[in-house]
Amino acid sequence: LRKQAPGSLRAIHRWLALHKRFRSLLYSGTTVRSDESDRGFLAHGVVADHRGEAVFALVWLERALASRRVRIDGLDPTTSYRIEVIGARPGDAQAVTPSWASGAPILTGQALGEAGVALPPARRGSALLLHLESVS
């Protein structure tokens, strides 16, 4: 770590802070592997036992030239969730920024499980982390 550039150390610090923020959810929740995964794309996450919170990773294993939709499974269909993009910042080399990301949309678990969310084309190795939290 001592040989890392300051920018790399800041990125490592951000990722460590995210891990600390979501540690209890990651270690106690239910793992969900999406049926949307295929050879070039992987979608998986962890949903809290009370289903009021979840973190999902969306990973492009191959370059995607077209946009796509991905369903977010395992949520309570009657609960509304605020969707927050976490992790990489816009402008980072592997950042993916959906058009809806700046508005922190609120959708029901049913809508997320049936229609999903729209994703833009992305480079191989890109990833998007989503935090979903129930709203009253």
Side-chain angles (χ1 to χ4, degrees), residues 46-59:
V46 178
V47 178
D49 290 336
H50 54 75
R51 298 200 298 177
E53 183 179 26
V55 172
F56 274 81
L58 311 174
V59 183

Side-chain angles (χ1 to χ4, degrees), residues 1-115:
L1 286 175
R2 289 184 284 184
K3 295 180 182 179
Q4 295 296 314
S8 293
L9 287 174
R10 283 190 295 276
I12 291 168
H13 179 73
R14 281 196 328 267
W15 287 110
L16 287 171
L18 272 176
H19 180 265
K20 288 178 183 178
R21 177 180 169 190
F22 296 109
R23 180 177 17 217
S24 64
L25 170 61
L26 295 172
Y27 295 149
S28 67
T30 301
T31 301
V32 176
R33 302 207 185 281
S34 175
D35 291 340
E36 299 290 313
S37 297
D38 57 39
R39 184 172 168 241
F41 182 78
L42 180 63
H44 63 283
V46 178
V47 178
D49 290 336
H50 54 75
R51 298 200 298 177
E53 183 179 26
V55 172
F56 274 81
L58 311 174
V59 183
W60 284 260
L61 303 172
E62 294 179 359
R63 184 175 180 197
L65 299 175
S67 59
R68 70 181 297 155
R69 294 191 78 77
V70 63
R71 292 187 320 268
I72 306 295
D73 299 320
L75 302 172
D76 181 347
T78 63
T79 299
S80 294
Y81 294 89
R82 176 177 291 112
I83 307 170
E84 172 191 14
V85 174
I86 58 174
R89 296 180 177 171
D92 286 354
Q94 300 304 324
V96 176
T97 307
S99 59
W100 50 262
S102 63
I106 296 174
L107 297 169
T108 64
Q110 181 176 1
L112 289 163
E114 291 177 5

